[in-house]
């Protein structure tokens, strides 16, 4: 029981990392954070509208007013602008599928519906096909 602890302790004491670092680790005195083109870019230039990009916001609320993720994050400014959530569902009226469109698979014609699985197929799946051989 103690032999394992002794072996592990001796192995840890003799362990030498295989990676070698060259020189002392230092923090650079200055880092250039200015925008520059990627070295592999075909034009080696920044986009033309890069200078007109929106500046960082001073607060999260001001950022949220300008941010977009699959549409505006801010609230609708008026109820008449037609944006998502600006009108109640009741005011939109009834929802019905167009001709040739179906909301549920069971509304499709019989030739497009799923065929029911019979008991023999269920047994074949559950036994891995062993019942078909016998």
């Amino acid at each position: 029981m103690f032999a394992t602890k002794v072996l592990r302790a001796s192995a840890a004491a003799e362990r030498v990392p295989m990676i070698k670092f060259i020189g002392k680790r230092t923090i650079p005195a200055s880092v250039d954070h200015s925008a520059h083109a990627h070295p592999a870019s075909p034009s080696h230039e920044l986009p033309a509208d890069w200078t007109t990009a929106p500046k960082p916001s001073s607060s999260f609320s001001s950022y949220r007013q300008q941010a977009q993720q699959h549409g505006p994050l801010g609230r609708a400014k008026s109820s008449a602008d037609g944006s998502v959530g600006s009108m109640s569902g009741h005011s939109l009226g009834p929802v019905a599928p167009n001709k040739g469109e179906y909301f549920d698979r069971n509304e499709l014609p019989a030739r497009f519906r799923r065929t029911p699985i019979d008991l023999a197929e269920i047994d074949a799946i559950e036994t891995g096909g062993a019942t078909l051989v016998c």
Side-chain angles (χ1 to χ4, degrees), residues 1-11:
M1 176 165 114
F2 291 109
T4 305
K5 287 185 178 180
V6 172
L7 287 173
R8 284 187 182 162
S10 66

Side-chain angles (χ1 to χ4, degrees), residues 51-95:
T51 57
T52 61
K55 303 297 180 222
S57 299
S58 59
S59 69
F60 181 73
S61 59
S62 62
Y63 159 76
R64 189 169 170 85
Q65 295 299 322
Q66 300 169 357
Q68 291 205 10
Q69 177 183 358
H70 312 297
L73 293 174
R75 298 181 184 221
K77 304 218 182 340
S78 67
S79 61
D81 64 355
S83 63
V84 175
S86 63
M87 297 185 289
S88 68
H90 188 298
S91 66
L92 293 174
V95 178

